[in-house]
Amino acid sequence: MPTSPFSPDKLRAEINPEGGFATNERFEVIIAGGIINSIDPDSKTSRRLQFLCENVAIPTKSIAASDKFIYGTSYQMPYRQTFAELSMSFLVTDSMKEKTFFDNWQKKIVDEETGDLKFYSGYTCDITISKYSKTQSNFTNPKYQIKVENAWPSIVAEIQLNHSGGNEVVRLPVTFQYKKWRQTV
């Protein structure tokens, strides 16, 4: 059956029942459990991070494949899932507690004096990333949500300071490694 040519009205008819196109704002990042209680006993900084996360990318999940050749043409055969690192950027308050939070977390991974590595279960936590609809008036019932399991900050990146920067807000890029992520909503 031949398809009819594209028209904006046909596109609108397809996407309007779905709420239109998704936009990249209205998200929430929650870093909780595991190591977090020992880094932030009163939970003030970790709770504030959910509001100070300026951007996050829902990480890539891919399926690794290798060539298979039995007879004839070779083909790709999947053999495992792979997960790309997770990047976030946080706004930093004047107290610099957000930077201190991630510095202290990294101290729980590698001993600064000896260089000894700690146990994996002792420095990981879960991160939940929720995306809310642009039409929702509150942050309940996300339209899409993932749980990043056993995450830890592999890179707490540099903070740019600049005398001629004026009143620009300081941003802290953080890169996480993790075991896997899965969709929960």
Side-chain angles (χ1 to χ4, degrees):
M1 174 182 204
T3 60
S4 57
F6 171 82
S7 80
D9 291 334
K10 289 179 184 174
L11 176 61
R12 267 189 230 97
E14 289 293 322
I15 65 166
N16 282 346
E18 302 302 321
F21 289 113
T23 56
N24 60 1
E25 84 283 3
R26 297 189 57 82
F27 66 92
E28 178 180 55
V29 173
I30 297 175
I31 302 172
I35 185 70
I36 302 307
N37 294 335
S38 69
I39 299 170
D40 187 28
D42 62 4
S43 301
K44 287 182 181 177
T45 303
S46 57
R47 192 171 41 251
R48 193 169 46 247
L49 287 173
Q50 74 183 355
F51 303 108
L52 296 178
C53 184
E54 181 181 34
N55 63 55
V56 61
I58 295 174
T60 301
K61 182 191 296 185
S62 60
I63 299 174
S66 63
D67 280 335
K68 292 293 180 189
F69 180 77
I70 297 173
Y71 180 78
T73 306
S74 67
Y75 59 95
Q76 292 285 304
M77 182 70 144
Y79 65 91
R80 71 178 173 132
Q81 285 187 117
T82 61
F83 300 92
E85 57 194 20
L86 170 63
S87 297
M88 294 185 203
S89 179
F90 296 92
L91 301 173
V92 179
T93 60
D94 197 41
S95 67
M96 298 291 286
K97 286 184 178 177
E98 298 75 25
K99 173 73 167 111
T100 301
F101 174 87
F102 288 109
D103 289 344
N104 288 340
W105 192 347
Q106 285 193 320
K107 289 176 189 175
K108 299 284 187 178
I109 300 169
V110 179
D111 185 287
E112 288 183 311
E113 298 300 318
T114 65
D116 292 340
L117 295 172
K118 307 293 176 83
F119 289 105
Y120 182 76
S121 62
Y123 59 79
T124 63
C125 75
D126 293 339
I127 299 174
T128 303
I129 302 170
S130 304
K131 171 67 178 102
Y132 297 92
S133 170
K134 63 185 173 189
T135 60
Q136 286 178 280
S137 60
N138 56 25
F139 282 79
T140 58
N141 303 320
K143 296 296 179 181
Y144 187 84
Q145 184 177 68
I146 67 168
K147 182 178 183 180
V148 179
E149 299 177 3
N150 296 351
W152 53 276
S154 59
I155 301 171
V156 178
E158 64 187 21
I159 290 180
Q160 292 292 322
L161 303 176
N162 183 345
H163 284 297
S164 63
N167 290 328
E168 189 173 321
V169 175
V170 171
R171 288 163 172 77
L172 176 64
V174 180
T175 303
F176 294 88
Q177 297 295 332
Y178 55 94
K179 182 177 179 182
K180 65 180 182 176
W181 70 262
R182 60 186 171 81
Q183 183 181 352
T184 55
V185 173

